[in-house]
Amino acid sequence: MNHYLSLILFEPLVGALVLLLVNKRNEDAIRWIANVTALVGFVISMPLWFWYNPSSADFQLVERAPWIPSVGAEYFLGVDGLSVLLILLTTMMGSIAVLSSWTAITDRVKEFYIFLLVLQTGMLGAFMSLDFLLFFLFWEVMLVPMYFLIGIWGSDRRLYSAIKFFLYTLVGSVVMLLGILALYFHNHTVTGVYSFDVTQYHKLAVPFNLQWWVFLAFFLGFAIKVPMFPFHTWLPDAHTDAPTAGSVILAAVLLKMGTYGFLRFSLPILPDASRHFVPMIVVLSVIGIVYGALVALAQKDWKRLVAYSSVSHMAMVMLGMFALNPVGITGSIVQQLNHGISTGALFLIVGIVYERRHTREISEYGGLSKVMPVYAAVFLIMTMSSIGLPTLNGFIGEFLILQGVFVASKAWAAFAASGVVLGAAYMLYLYQRTMFGKVENPKNERLTDLSNREFATFAPLIVLAVWIGLYPAPFLRRLETSVQHIMTRVDSQYAQAYADCGAGAPTAAQIAANPAAKFMASMPCDANGNPLPEKK
Amino acid sequence: MLLLIPLLPFIGFLVNASFGRRLTKRVAGAVACGAMILSFVVSVAAVFRLLSFDPESRVMAQTVYEWITSGDLAVPFTLRLDPLSAVMILIVTGIGSLIHVYSTAYMHEERDAEYARYFSYLNLFATFMLVLVLGANFLVLFVGWEGVGLCSYLLIGFWYQKKSASDAGKKAFIVNRIGDFGFVLGVLLTFVRFGTLDFQQVARSLANLGTETTFGTVSVITLLLFVGATGKSAQIPLYVWLPDAMEGPTPVSALIHAATMVTAGVYMIGRNAVLFGHAPLTLKFVAVIGVATAFFAGTIGLVQNDIKRVLAYSTVSQLGYMFLAMGVGAYAAGIFHLYTHAFFKALLFLGSGAVIHALAGEQDLRRMGGLKRDLPVTYWTFLIGAIAISGVPGFAGFFSKDEILAKTFESGHTLLWGVGLLTSLLTAIYMFRVVYLAFHGKPAAAPQPAHPEEEEPAAQAHAHSHLHDAPPAMALVLIVLAAGSVLAGYVGLGGRFEHFLEPSFAPQTAKAAADGGTGMTLMIVSIVVAFAGIGIATYYFLKNCRAAAVMAARFAGLRLVLQNKYYVDEIYDATVVQPIRIVSEDGLWKTIDVRLIDGAVNGVGETVGGASEVLRRVQTGSVRAYAASLLLGVVLVLGYYLWR
């Protein structure tokens, strides 16, 4: 129990080490070991869902040990609701990615799985770290295996794409490191202690001009990762050329690093700068939503289309987050999960036919509904999930985001909602071009439908899509205290309101009359005016 | 009990969707029809229970579970049955059951798997439609609203191998999404304004507020919601998807695109009668859009040659009447028309389906004619439908349409009334034009099969000489609907229908009826107009066909415009679709993304590369050169400190 997080964290790495010892010609053994490792990793992470106590605002399952005492860096792990959900997403998508590669990867099998498993540890570490230097370490660790996954097992322009991915992210992270160091020294000036303890940083009141600079430094690092317009151009290339498993992980988990960074570091540590930069983020997000969707509409490459749809969806996530109210932030986190589920699935879907036909050109396909009916049904469900059909997951996230954004500004919400229209357009256009019509290309006539293994990669995603769509309460409950924590940091009015909770919630009419009271509306009181954490 | 109503068709959907490919047609059809009929039985039982309550407290509710709770947003998944939803569930399950039964025969030529797929979609549609009309708050309604949109998309594109079918499905979905854009914003604004999404609570919090005489928040909310209604219920400017939706199988057109789904927008306004009642400006707008759509679509219907397209424009037109009723505050009359229209329009569509079925897919009126002799059941039932929609006294359409026109006149909208009346003239003309062209006159040459995938020799052998009338399952349904098209209107006699619905639209009670004299005069005018329309159609399309040709030649320009539907599709394409396409592809993607941003990124890369190239030369390997530069460096650094 005490080392539970470490167990989840290093289990994939242990699997990778085991793989090192296996003869590389024994490919099936390698596949089995990798799959078992990833699946066990998912299974052992499941108790996290139950053991995490959503009514406590503290970081939980904390592990703490000195790491580099001379600079005050610690091996410091812990989770809250946000990271619990992202960790579970990571372990699940990790095992799906591994499973999806069984027949797709036939070259250098051993190295492939080793990189995939090391990547897994890197991502998990980033979500668990509460020490900023440790976070940075894992953040950089992720970069290397991904670089090789794209560069070695990728398609066409894989080297260009891999290097572009690497350099883009590296530039961002170098600048981010400067920001971390600035905070580190500031913390020392204030407290006299050298420490990278993030929970300590959460208590700092950083002067505004320092916040301003550090926010921009973090912004560059995180915005590239999200990716936000105009830092997004590495994404279509990386996605398009990455092998299926790489695209799935990239979309489902790696992009979340950026949004996670904003939520974990930028908002709570730099609240004033966060508020100050709302206009900039909103403008970039709104552009991203519309721009990503429009460019997706014009794509002729299946994977590139999905990649641009990611730009649009992640911009929506950013917009919800920077509405800076609880509903918007909650929606933003839920939508991160949803994006992982639906876009992950969409990349798997492209991967299935890519493996059979070795082309991503949309015009090469058409009429697949006839030859691959189960595949077409899965694709339809995931299309609907992606465009936010109620009863599926996408709607919950989108609606919460729109609700949060609407309270902050009606104009932003109108722009965001237009993304929903365009989303339907590019997805249905894609679906029509690939699934409908007659099978005109003779190469498509003999395509086989999903195998059991392939279906198994989709099954959990479909279950989750329906679960979040119909019954999101367990997810929302796990996010409540984390969101409250962020809110109390980022909005002093909210903190004040939270303190005076007994005063009773304002009515809707008051909110309409007084926009300043809008945050009070989101006050975490129940009907009796009690603060929510006390509610059971 | 309420949950059971949508749940039963959902179970049917699950069965056919999961095991459909292994089921025979008989089993698949029985499961789907059985689920619908059971749902109808439960609905009837529920409505009887509702009727046993006091008229004032006729509400039953069931909260299934808490759906979304986050911050101050709490949305329970609640179903609620009140008189308005009672009418709707009876229409949906009743007409729905009939159309399911009809489909078992109509779709019989499909392969087993396709047959099951068809019925699974149809059941799923019924599920969502029932959720839509039973939902107690905006979000549950929205679940149904989007769900029926999905099913409509799937069913329009059911023959997905046809490009036109999949195009039409996509168009329907996207145009509806444009409407939803407004609808969602309306819902958000409702929540911000009232702090709840529950219909009853919204109505209750409005009770103390006066109506908005200026354009305030409630007006904005209702206007946004109405944008959603124009999408779903095919009104100007978002009606363009409905005529194309005729690509779907004909029973689908009857169920989704005539009787139920397209009326959702009307229902939604009825559901929020109190809210709309507080925004007279929006209501006026609704009425104008409604009557304009009614007239506009009626004119297009006059000259279309595809039998289903005539009916489609007729549906758009009739929906316009319903919105006119809503707009002048005659909610009960609007819902009444919705209810009678469900019978006769379903009948007309299914009748056209029987014709199309008999002619192996032929839909062009110019290739029909003289079908009266070979298809007697179809002919007589279709005729009843045509009479009902034209507003001949004694038939269902007369009661409801007359009431809408009367209410419009009474509320002082004389101009709207005039246009409405003119539209009813058009209705009678285009409807009887179809009757005469299809069933009377001489048989046209042997029809060409229209469905490319049905190009079997057997289908081509269908000549007029041995046409088959509707098979039993279809004939039965036609007869039941024909009976309904006659009798349905009598429910409303003596204001009983209106009275029943009153609690749903309260607290606005109906105004006192106009004095008998005006009412009588209006009624006579309506009757005269209906018969005039039928007379005109009889003259031009039955008695004196050459006169029609002469007219067509004289007004060739107008006719061309009408036949091309005022070129609205072309205008939308030129002003919206193409610009978006060009901007996205050439502007955003190829210029900004590839050239500008990536150009900059690659430029930086190349600059760094180039710089390295230059710097590389510095590493000459000559120790003397290194020593020289070292010396230079030392001098510079020392010089800097000394200079300071």
Side-chain angles (χ1 to χ4, degrees):
Chain A
M1 182 77 189
N2 210 6
H3 295 292
Y4 178 54
L5 289 181
S6 292
L7 178 70
I8 301 175
L9 173 58
F10 290 113
E11 193 267 353
L13 196 63
V14 170
L17 291 177
V18 172
L19 281 184
L20 276 178
L21 307 175
V22 181
N23 186 329
K24 67 187 235 181
R25 259 166 295 172
N26 203 348
E27 290 183 353
D28 270 343
I30 291 169
R31 290 192 177 104
W32 275 108
I33 291 170
N35 272 285
V36 169
T37 306
L39 188 66
V40 168
F42 179 40
V43 172
I44 59 170
S45 68
M46 277 183 193
L48 208 52
W49 174 262
F50 303 100
W51 289 349
Y52 169 72
N53 175 7
S55 48
S56 159
D58 298 328
F59 283 97
Q60 298 172 28
L61 301 165
V62 168
E63 289 178 41
R64 201 161 188 172
W67 172 35
I68 316 176
S70 53
V71 296
E74 291 171 291
Y75 176 74
F76 182 15
L77 305 180
V79 293
D80 67 348
L82 168 65
S83 38
V84 162
L85 294 184
L86 288 173
I87 288 167
L88 287 167
L89 179 73
T90 307
T91 55
M92 184 184 73
M93 294 311 297
S95 53
I96 288 175
V98 170
L99 183 61
S100 75
S101 310
W102 196 288
T103 52
I105 301 298
T106 50
D107 179 39
R108 304 192 206 194
V109 177
K110 180 172 158 180
E111 290 87 341
F112 177 81
Y113 285 111
I114 289 174
F115 280 130
L116 213 49
L117 290 173
V118 171
L119 178 62
Q120 185 80 353
T121 293
M123 296 184 300
L124 289 170
F127 287 139
M128 290 175 184
S129 300
L130 292 177
D131 183 281
F132 225 145
L133 199 65
L134 190 65
F135 169 81
F136 188 75
L137 174 86
F138 283 117
W139 172 279
E140 293 293 298
V141 161
M142 289 181 303
L143 211 55
V144 180
M146 198 66 209
Y147 170 77
F148 284 115
L149 284 176
I150 300 173
I152 299 176
W153 291 274
S155 58
D156 316 336
R157 300 205 301 163
R158 54 177 174 263
L159 272 179
Y160 170 79
S161 299
I163 293 171
K164 196 171 176 185
F165 162 78
F166 194 87
L167 289 182
Y168 245 115
T169 325
L170 197 67
V171 167
S173 41
V174 167
V175 178
M176 184 175 84
L177 182 62
L178 292 178
I180 296 176
L181 291 176
L183 281 179
Y184 174 72
F185 289 116
H186 173 74
N187 181 54
H188 176 252
T189 330
V190 175
T191 62
V193 183
Y194 282 115
S195 165
F196 286 100
D197 180 350
V198 174
T199 56
Q200 160 63 26
Y201 289 6
H202 278 196
K203 295 182 192 116
L204 287 177
V206 184
F208 181 73
N209 58 349
L210 183 61
Q211 281 197 27
W212 197 89
W213 283 108
V214 175
F215 184 91
L216 281 185
F218 284 5
F219 171 78
L220 195 67
F222 299 143
I224 286 176
K225 207 81 174 181
V226 168
M228 291 183 74
F229 177 90
F231 307 111
H232 65 279
T233 59
W234 63 270
L235 182 83
D237 284 320
H239 264 315
T240 309
D241 287 325
T244 300
S247 301
V248 171
I249 290 293
L250 192 57
V253 188
L254 277 193
L255 302 191
K256 308 307 169 310
M257 291 294 162
T259 46
Y260 173 80
F262 278 110
L263 286 167
R264 174 69 78 234
F265 308 112
S266 299
L267 294 188
I269 301 177
L270 314 163
D272 303 319
S274 298
R275 282 202 307 280
H276 176 77
F277 281 109
V278 162
M280 176 182 83
I281 304 252
V282 164
V283 167
L284 291 181
S285 300
V286 165
I287 294 177
I289 290 172
V290 178
Y291 181 94
L294 286 175
V295 177
L297 204 53
Q299 296 307 308
K300 290 157 183 67
D301 179 310
W302 195 332
K303 250 182 152 176
R304 206 168 270 274
L305 190 156
V306 180
Y308 276 108
S309 85
S310 274
V311 174
S312 183
H313 281 237
M314 292 304 287
M316 187 84 144
V317 168
M318 288 305 297
L319 185 62
M321 190 190 297
F322 276 81
L324 296 185
N325 55 41
V327 178
I329 295 178
T330 308
S332 161
I333 300 172
V334 172
Q335 194 64 355
Q336 290 176 39
L337 302 178
N338 293 339
H339 177 263
I341 293 165
S342 60
T343 308
L346 289 174
F347 279 118
L348 285 174
I349 282 165
V350 195
I352 302 276
V353 285
Y354 183 76
E355 195 183 324
R356 288 160 172 65
R357 288 280 327 276
H358 297 287
T359 176
R360 299 178 308 259
E361 283 296 312
I362 294 171
S363 57
E364 282 281 318
Y365 298 100
L368 297 191
S369 274
K370 177 136 179 103
V371 281
M372 304 171 75
V374 178
Y375 174 77
V378 170
F379 189 12
L380 182 71
I381 294 173
M382 284 308 161
T383 299
M384 291 303 145
S385 153
S386 171
I387 67 183
L389 191 88
T391 68
L392 290 176
N393 56 348
F395 173 69
I396 305 292
E398 263 174 23
F399 188 79
L400 290 176
I401 289 176
L402 286 177
Q403 166 73 45
V405 173
F406 195 90
V407 173
S409 157
K410 298 183 175 64
W412 305 350
F415 275 111
S418 74
V420 176
V421 178
L422 292 170
Y426 63 73
M427 282 314 295
L428 292 183
Y429 187 37
L430 170 68
Y431 195 83
Q432 181 191 27
R433 284 180 290 171
T434 54
M435 297 292 117
F436 290 157
K438 283 195 200 322
V439 184
E440 263 148 15
N441 192 328
K443 289 180 196 153
N444 292 331
E445 274 164 15
R446 295 269 160 81
L447 289 183
T448 48
D449 208 342
L450 295 186
S451 70
N452 287 337
R453 176 186 60 81
E454 286 165 338
F455 188 77
T457 61
F458 291 110
L461 299 177
I462 295 173
V463 170
L464 266 178
V466 176
W467 179 12
I468 298 180
L470 288 181
Y471 189 54
F475 294 85
L476 300 178
R477 190 151 38 86
R478 278 168 177 75
L479 290 174
E480 250 165 34
T481 50
S482 307
V483 172
Q484 265 167 32
H485 173 70
I486 296 169
M487 278 312 298
T488 46
R489 285 290 298 171
V490 86
D491 194 297
S492 51
Q493 266 183 308
Y494 181 86
Q496 189 58 39
Y498 185 64
D500 316 336
C501 220
T507 64
Q510 282 172 307
I511 304 160
N514 175 17
K518 70 191 177 196
F519 295 111
M520 315 270 281
S522 320
M523 203 159 58
C525 297
D526 64 11
N528 304 321
N530 300 317
L532 271 180
E534 292 163 21
K535 202 180 81 175
K536 283 283 147 70
Chain B
M1 181 162 173
L2 289 182
L3 180 62
L4 209 54
I5 298 172
L7 198 60
L8 282 164
F10 187 69
I11 294 170
F13 157 74
L14 284 182
V15 171
N16 271 330
S18 329
F19 313 111
R21 277 180 300 162
R22 270 162 271 161
L23 297 179
T24 60
K25 282 179 198 165
R26 182 186 285 269
V27 179
V31 167
C33 295
M36 266 325 278
I37 292 168
L38 270 179
S39 176
F40 177 62
V41 171
V42 177
S43 302
V44 170
V47 173
F48 268 111
R49 183 127 169 259
L50 191 72
L51 284 171
S52 70
F53 299 156
D54 257 12
E56 289 314 307
S57 55
R58 277 182 183 154
V59 176
M60 289 160 68
Q62 181 183 3
T63 297
V64 185
Y65 67 101
E66 289 297 320
W67 181 28
I68 306 177
T69 38
S70 174
D72 51 346
L73 178 74
V75 185
F77 197 96
T78 304
L79 303 179
R80 191 181 289 142
L81 186 70
D82 71 343
L84 177 58
S85 350
V87 172
M88 295 303 291
I89 59 169
L90 291 181
I91 296 173
V92 174
T93 56
I95 307 270
S97 299
L98 290 172
I99 291 173
H100 273 68
V101 171
Y102 179 97
S103 299
T104 56
Y106 190 85
M107 299 302 284
H108 209 263
E109 276 152 37
E110 296 293 326
R111 289 184 296 122
D112 282 3
E114 298 294 280
Y115 193 77
R117 184 165 69 90
Y118 172 82
F119 276 107
S120 69
Y121 292 167
L122 217 53
N123 270 179
L124 187 64
F125 167 77
T127 306
F128 280 122
M129 192 66 209
L130 289 164
V131 169
L132 195 163
V133 296
L134 286 170
N137 59 54
F138 277 103
L139 273 204
V140 178
L141 178 139
F142 193 63
V143 167
W145 186 273
E146 289 287 280
V148 291
L150 168 67
C151 298
S152 163
Y153 164 76
L154 292 171
L155 283 164
I156 295 169
F158 181 76
W159 287 307
Y160 58 82
Q161 302 199 343
K162 252 170 86 183
K163 176 86 163 55
S164 54
S166 66
D167 275 344
K170 186 183 65 180
K171 183 174 176 183
F173 200 104
I174 293 171
V175 172
N176 268 294
R177 270 273 155 141
I178 296 172
D180 296 344
F181 168 77
F183 189 81
V184 167
L185 291 179
V187 171
L188 293 173
L189 190 55
T190 306
F191 183 74
V192 170
R193 177 69 181 78
F194 298 104
T196 176
L197 289 175
D198 189 285
F199 296 125
Q200 269 187 356
Q201 286 172 19
V202 169
R204 230 174 267 150
S205 44
L206 276 162
N208 314 327
L209 297 170
T211 54
E212 274 184 359
T213 45
T214 53
F215 197 75
T217 314
V218 177
S219 304
V220 177
I221 291 175
T222 47
L223 202 59
L224 287 168
L225 293 176
F226 179 61
V227 171
T230 58
K232 192 109 291 182
S233 294
Q235 297 295 292
I236 292 173
L238 297 180
Y239 70 94
V240 287
W241 64 271
L242 184 59
D244 288 14
M246 298 300 121
E247 290 287 343
T250 306
V252 169
S253 313
L255 178 62
I256 301 185
H257 306 119
T260 54
M261 184 187 84
V262 288
T263 63
V266 182
Y267 163 80
M268 189 271 294
I269 293 184
R271 175 50 71 215
N272 294 295
V274 179
L275 191 65
F276 278 80
H278 277 76
L281 289 174
T282 308
L283 277 183
K284 194 159 280 178
F285 185 70
V286 171
V288 170
I289 289 283
V291 83
T293 310
F295 178 75
F296 179 81
T299 56
I300 300 176
L302 281 177
V303 297
Q304 295 300 308
N305 287 321
D306 182 315
I307 184 168
K308 283 184 73 182
R309 280 190 177 253
V310 178
L311 292 175
Y313 281 105
S314 159
T315 305
V316 174
S317 176
Q318 298 295 313
L319 288 165
Y321 271 118
M322 297 174 208
F323 280 104
L324 170 64
M326 295 329 231
V328 299
Y331 305 115
I335 299 296
F336 190 36
H337 195 56
L338 187 162
Y339 153 81
T340 58
H341 176 255
F343 283 94
F344 56 71
K345 189 50 69 62
L347 171 62
L348 289 168
F349 264 114
L350 295 182
S352 78
V355 170
I356 295 164
H357 196 69
L359 298 181
E362 182 57 66
Q363 296 184 200
D364 194 326
L365 283 167
R366 288 167 298 188
R367 300 215 197 93
M368 298 177 184
L371 297 173
K372 184 176 155 189
R373 189 171 56 91
D374 290 313
L375 309 176
V377 178
T378 309
Y379 170 66
W380 287 107
T381 51
F382 196 90
L383 186 64
I384 291 172
I387 294 174
I389 197 176
S390 303
V392 171
F395 291 72
F398 167 73
F399 294 98
S400 51
K401 190 158 36 174
D402 188 59
E403 195 165 326
I404 291 175
L405 289 176
K407 287 269 158 62
T408 308
F409 190 84
E410 283 164 20
S411 61
H413 298 91
T414 324
L415 178 65
L416 297 184
W417 171 80
V419 180
L421 198 66
L422 193 59
T423 307
S424 106
L425 180 77
L426 296 178
T427 310
I429 299 176
Y430 66 66
M431 222 42 252
F432 273 83
R433 169 174 173 264
V434 172
V435 171
Y436 295 138
L437 289 183
F439 294 99
H440 292 257
K442 287 196 196 76
Q448 304 294 317
H451 283 298
E453 57 267 85
E454 285 172 19
E455 272 179 286
E456 297 144 17
Q460 277 175 334
H462 275 294
H464 269 196
S465 49
H466 42 84
L467 288 176
H468 298 292
D469 202 352
M474 285 160 63
L476 177 78
V477 171
L478 290 177
I479 292 166
V480 173
L481 284 174
S485 303
V486 180
L487 301 175
Y490 293 94
V491 177
L493 278 188
R496 255 185 300 165
F497 194 83
E498 194 175 339
H499 193 66
F500 174 64
L501 283 176
E502 220 165 76
S504 295
F505 305 136
Q508 290 202 317
T509 41
K511 291 180 208 121
D515 62 289
T518 329
M520 209 42 145
T521 320
L522 288 173
M523 192 188 286
I524 291 168
V525 172
S526 295
I527 295 170
V528 169
V529 165
F531 280 111
I534 296 174
I536 293 172
T538 312
Y539 176 74
Y540 281 112
F541 300 108
L542 185 66
K543 300 288 180 215
N544 194 351
C545 297
R546 210 170 303 145
V550 172
M551 281 286 280
R554 185 180 303 167
F555 297 104
L558 179 63
R559 182 157 174 274
L560 196 67
V561 170
L562 289 182
Q563 261 179 344
N564 286 294
K565 305 156 286 185
Y566 295 97
Y567 298 97
V568 171
D569 276 322
E570 286 76 6
I571 293 169
Y572 283 0
D573 188 65
T575 56
V576 181
V577 181
Q578 292 309 324
I580 285 186
R581 207 182 60 76
I582 292 165
V583 165
S584 308
E585 184 158 347
D586 298 333
L588 298 182
W589 180 32
K590 290 186 176 157
T591 307
I592 295 190
D593 229 53
V594 175
R595 196 164 306 160
L596 221 65
I597 301 178
D598 257 3
V601 170
N602 293 338
V604 169
E606 276 157 25
T607 314
V608 172
S612 325
E613 197 66 21
V614 173
L615 287 177
R616 193 171 63 90
R617 303 235 170 92
V618 177
Q619 303 187 356
T620 53
S622 152
V623 180
R624 227 176 286 170
Y626 287 163
S629 62
L630 197 70
L631 187 67
L632 187 69
V634 169
V635 169
L636 281 176
V637 171
L638 275 177
Y640 173 73
Y641 279 102
L642 290 173
W643 196 256
R644 233 164 42 129

